[in-house]
Amino acid sequence: MHPGASSSRPRAGLTAERLTLAAAELADEVGFEKLTIAALARHFGVRDASLYSHLRNARDLRVRVAALALTELADRAAAALAGRAGRDALAAFADAYRDYAKQHPGRYAAAQLELDPETDTVAADAARRHAELTRSILRGYRLAEPAQTDAVRMLHSTFHGYVSLERAGGFRHHPRPVDDSWARTVDAVDTALRHWPAQ
Amino acid sequence: MHPGASSSRPRAGLTAERLTLAAAELADEVGFEKLTIAALARHFGVRDASLYSHLRNARDLRVRVAALALTELADRAAAALAGRAGRDALAAFADAYRDYAKQHPGRYAAAQLELDPETDTVAADAARRHAELTRSILRGYRLAEPAQTDAVRMLHSTFHGYVSLERAGGFRHHPRPVDDSWARTVDAVDTALRHWPAQ
DNA sequence: GGAACCAGCCTAATATCTCTAGGCGGACAG
DNA sequence: CTGTCCGCCTAGAGATATTAGGCTGGTTCC
């Protein structure tokens, strides 16, 4: 090919970081399933093979996007929790979570990737940090272990489940506004935390 | 075998139903992401192209598995609810849901596929049926609309979220037994339903 | 019984994606 | 200036998804 026709190639200036960020944007645009090495290479105008100097493989790319997403999510959660407590903190955390998922569907999907704590350390750390923040919400509800852990799991489950079902279209069958149900769901979680069942 | 070698080919006897069932089993074994036309064709000892007489395309196969899963899930939910009410019904429903996901991870993953109500009618119907059953649990809690719809959404979110995070390994960081947290989570949902917030 | 049909599986071929091996040229160090 | 090395490239193999078209055995119908 005369590609070279014009000789000088201006180096695309790829780095793992730039690739990861672009991948996150791409995932948000076209969906995480369609985040592919080939698509990313096209985006930068280079050959697929060129990405392998910066990324181990396709899964590596996805894990990096997951780590980015989990970090951003934890940052937002931290910001939402700053200066708030109790029910206020809960609501702010919940909204931050859902808003992030809405704004960054591709990143959010990446965050759901199954991670191997052994190898995907960065992502796993970010996930742990997010869990710590979730736990900090419960300080206002005075739950002792192991109820606290149970509550963290329930909280995360409800929020993740809601967002996930909403995105999958699971709530489209009914005209009730999804935002309203969300507000009631957060209220219900607050209720459950305040009356946490003994035993 | 040298294929043609022996002339007579004993027809594999493929039908959409047999393919769907085999695909569901395959998905449970190797994971829904690895459910592929090629793998399924291998399973039956036929060529990939042969499947296209029975299935429109790869997505069609996946949607069929989703429909199967949603139907089975609704069947189990119905069985769990039979003869029970209130908190009893809630717990039975919850366990049926989680048990199904544990026994059939591939099918369960399929059930989370984004469905288009226009084209994926069978699957969408099964999903609706499942939603109706969820709603029937709430009879014991005497919630009027729109609280009822909000509660259905919260219920489903919590259960799905829990199962989904459990599978993704999200609860592995802490030694607290996952079954125990599950029981407390179901209790908490019961509590929330009994004290459903007004407004 | 035989011709026509058709359902069911096959071969062939294309496109896309992942990933490995090895090459080449420009930038930078000395 | 001269090497070295980094960063991207060419080549190519192996998988999957999908389409087009062909062969054949079983069924149908006179």
Side-chain angles (χ1 to χ4, degrees):
Chain A
M1 13 276 10
H2 351 337
S6 43
S7 59
S8 92
R9 330 169 202 145
R11 303 241 162 159
L14 307 179
T15 63
E17 287 65 37
R18 287 191 61 197
L19 286 171
T20 303
L21 192 55
E25 286 164 7
L26 189 57
D28 285 338
E29 284 167 30
V30 304
F32 185 62
E33 341 70 53
K34 287 185 186 151
L35 171 58
T36 177
I37 294 278
L40 191 57
R42 268 195 300 275
H43 175 84
F44 281 95
V46 301
R47 296 300 175 140
D48 301 5
S50 305
L51 302 197
Y52 287 86
S53 330
H54 308 278
L55 307 169
R56 222 185 306 281
N57 51 40
R59 175 174 166 80
D60 180 37
L61 173 64
R62 295 186 186 113
V63 170
R64 281 170 191 269
V65 174
L68 173 67
L70 288 165
T71 303
E72 290 180 345
L73 204 46
D75 289 347
R76 294 230 193 167
L81 291 179
R84 290 190 234 262
R87 194 223 142 77
D88 243 27
L90 178 70
F93 178 90
D95 287 340
Y97 189 89
R98 180 156 170 260
D99 288 348
Y100 184 80
K102 283 185 113 107
Q103 284 170 31
H104 298 294
R107 286 158 153 100
Y108 186 76
Q112 252 54 60
L113 204 90
E114 287 196 40
L115 299 173
D116 176 354
E118 300 294 318
T119 57
D120 312 331
T121 52
V122 177
D125 284 353
R128 188 175 0 257
R129 190 176 145 228
H130 188 258
E132 299 297 338
L133 287 165
T134 308
R135 191 175 290 270
S136 77
I137 297 175
L138 300 183
R139 272 201 275 274
Y141 294 91
R142 314 209 160 276
L143 291 175
E145 285 290 16
Q148 197 176 87
T149 295
D150 296 340
V152 167
R153 289 173 172 176
M154 186 223 176
L155 259 184
H156 196 180
S157 295
T158 305
F159 296 162
H160 164 56
Y162 197 97
V163 166
S164 155
L165 291 175
E166 180 181 3
R167 284 223 63 244
F171 297 155
R172 278 196 292 246
H173 302 299
H174 198 282
R176 170 76 168 156
V178 187
D179 284 355
D180 294 353
S181 288
W182 172 252
R184 293 304 101 204
T185 294
V186 174
D187 287 344
V189 169
D190 173 66
T191 301
L193 291 176
R194 278 189 288 104
H195 301 80
W196 196 261
Q199 166 67 236
Chain B
M1 27 186 101
H2 330 333
S6 43
S7 58
S8 90
R9 323 166 207 152
R11 303 236 162 162
L14 307 179
T15 63
E17 286 65 37
R18 287 191 62 197
L19 286 171
T20 303
L21 192 55
E25 286 163 9
L26 189 58
D28 284 338
E29 283 167 30
V30 303
F32 186 61
E33 341 69 53
K34 289 186 183 149
L35 171 57
T36 175
I37 293 277
L40 191 58
R42 268 195 300 276
H43 176 84
F44 281 96
V46 301
R47 296 300 172 136
D48 300 6
S50 305
L51 303 197
Y52 287 85
S53 327
H54 308 279
L55 308 168
R56 220 184 308 280
N57 52 38
R59 175 173 166 81
D60 180 38
L61 173 64
R62 296 186 185 113
V63 170
R64 281 171 191 268
V65 175
L68 174 66
L70 288 165
T71 303
E72 290 180 344
L73 205 46
D75 288 346
R76 294 231 192 165
L81 291 179
R84 289 189 235 261
R87 195 222 139 77
D88 242 28
L90 179 69
F93 178 90
D95 287 340
Y97 190 89
R98 181 156 169 260
D99 288 348
Y100 184 79
K102 283 185 114 103
Q103 285 170 31
H104 298 294
R107 284 157 153 100
Y108 185 76
Q112 253 53 61
L113 206 98
E114 287 196 40
L115 298 173
D116 177 354
E118 301 293 320
T119 56
D120 312 331
T121 52
V122 178
D125 284 354
R128 186 173 3 254
R129 188 174 146 231
H130 188 258
E132 299 296 339
L133 286 165
T134 308
R135 189 175 293 269
S136 76
I137 296 175
L138 300 183
R139 272 200 276 275
Y141 294 91
R142 316 210 160 275
L143 292 174
E145 285 291 18
Q148 196 175 88
T149 294
D150 296 340
V152 166
R153 288 173 173 177
M154 185 223 175
L155 259 185
H156 197 180
S157 295
T158 305
F159 296 162
H160 164 57
Y162 198 97
V163 166
S164 155
L165 291 175
E166 180 181 3
R167 283 223 64 245
F171 297 155
R172 278 196 292 247
H173 301 299
H174 197 283
R176 170 76 168 158
V178 188
D179 284 354
D180 294 352
S181 288
W182 172 253
R184 291 305 93 172
T185 294
V186 174
D187 287 344
V189 169
D190 172 65
T191 301
L193 291 176
R194 276 188 291 104
H195 300 81
W196 196 262
Q199 162 72 236

